[in-house]
Amino acid sequence: MILKNFIVFEGIDGAGTSTQIKKLTAIDPINFVATSEPTAGATGKFLRQMLSGDFKVDEKTSAYLFAADRCEHIFGRGGVKELIDSGKIVISDRYFFSSLAYQSISCGEELPRLLNSPFPLPEILFYFEIDPEISLARVNARNEKKEIYEKLELQKKIAAQYEIVIKEYEKKSQETGIKIVRIDATDSIENISNTIKKYFR
Ligand code: TMP
């Protein structure tokens, strides 16, 4: 099922999705609402601690946690469904495609697929394509503490898994109705922004 007016941005770490979401929502701050996963809620905060390396959980546990956080994000009070029902256009930095890419590397494809099968599809998915060497250099340039997945070998595997997942959704896009837009994330911020804006006129 497609959730109309739900837009998702995906890509490996450092692909530039957050910058573009800021630019897009600035066009119409009343009607566009930006959200993200992990969320700012309790499960999302717990996940951030896990991502920063404060503690370790089994990789299967992280798949469950990301899915639980997603459930609140979509169906919880003040969540995506409520926002859309009140007439907003919701733009999310990451969604279940992240779980199908990241968690599949560590705990296999089966569990992330199972846990994420109940979630609706976004109307548009912008997938940011970038060489992991370039994106990780951007992450390093931020001079912030690295999160657990921000390692080159891992990012290469995640990028390859994203490609498998995106191709699969592209193949069935006729029947599901999802629109998938591939973005060259090495292009300039302005060019990318102009490309994205065209889908909202
Ligand atoms: P970000 O907000 O900086 O993109 O960081 C979120 C990190 O969490 C990023 O490394 C991707 C990871 N992640 C997963 O592994 N699975 C998920 O389902 C989601 C939403 C994020």
Side-chain angles (χ1 to χ4, degrees):
M1 186 201 87
I2 296 277
L3 194 52
K4 248 192 131 326
N5 292 330
F6 182 40
I7 317 297
V8 167
F9 283 48
E10 289 275 0
I12 54 174
D13 293 83
T17 54
S18 314
T19 305
Q20 290 301 330
I21 289 175
K22 273 195 207 114
K23 286 188 81 69
L24 180 59
T25 48
I27 300 173
D28 183 354
I30 305 230
N31 289 306
F32 286 137
V33 179
T35 66
S36 60
E37 293 186 8
T39 66
T43 315
K45 284 192 183 124
F46 188 67
L47 275 165
R48 281 281 169 210
Q49 283 177 271
M50 188 274 290
L51 287 166
S52 72
D54 284 1
F55 58 86
K56 279 199 169 103
V57 294
D58 186 90
E59 292 295 347
K60 291 191 282 304
T61 309
S62 33
Y64 280 100
L65 287 168
F66 279 114
D69 186 40
R70 184 159 302 129
C71 195
E72 274 305 293
H73 182 214
I74 302 295
F75 301 110
R77 190 175 282 193
V80 173
K81 260 211 110 275
E82 261 188 24
L83 287 165
I84 285 171
D85 289 345
S86 71
K88 303 288 184 190
I89 297 169
V90 181
I91 299 150
S92 178
D93 203 346
R94 300 192 178 279
Y95 188 42
F96 70 71
F97 306 95
S98 284
S99 281
L100 300 185
Y102 286 73
Q103 275 62 59
S104 293
I105 300 302
S106 41
C107 69
E109 289 187 23
E110 203 179 337
L111 184 65
R113 278 179 193 277
L114 180 72
L115 297 176
N116 288 289
S117 58
F119 293 108
L121 291 174
E123 188 178 349
I124 311 178
L125 165 63
F126 290 101
Y127 174 56
F128 282 49
E129 296 182 288
I130 190 162
D131 183 327
E133 312 240 1
I134 301 172
S135 53
L136 205 61
R138 290 181 182 175
V139 171
N140 290 337
R142 287 181 200 149
N143 262 332
E144 288 168 4
K145 189 182 171 217
K146 294 263 217 46
E147 290 188 336
I148 56 169
Y149 299 129
E150 292 170 343
K151 297 175 189 135
L152 185 57
E153 284 319 303
L154 197 49
Q155 290 290 316
K156 283 183 183 168
K157 286 185 192 161
I158 295 163
Q161 182 62 24
Y162 253 130
E163 187 54 38
I164 291 170
V165 170
I166 299 299
K167 271 214 181 90
E168 185 188 315
Y169 280 86
E170 281 171 337
K171 255 192 204 147
K172 47 188 190 190
S173 66
Q174 289 276 17
E175 107 208 28
T176 62
I178 188 176
K179 187 189 278 290
I180 300 180
V181 182
R182 287 180 183 254
I183 298 290
D184 174 0
T186 60
D187 205 349
S188 73
I189 291 176
E190 279 317 311
N191 282 352
I192 296 174
S193 175
N194 289 335
T195 304
I196 291 171
K197 276 184 204 163
K198 286 185 197 140
Y199 291 85
F200 297 90
R201 280 196 191 117

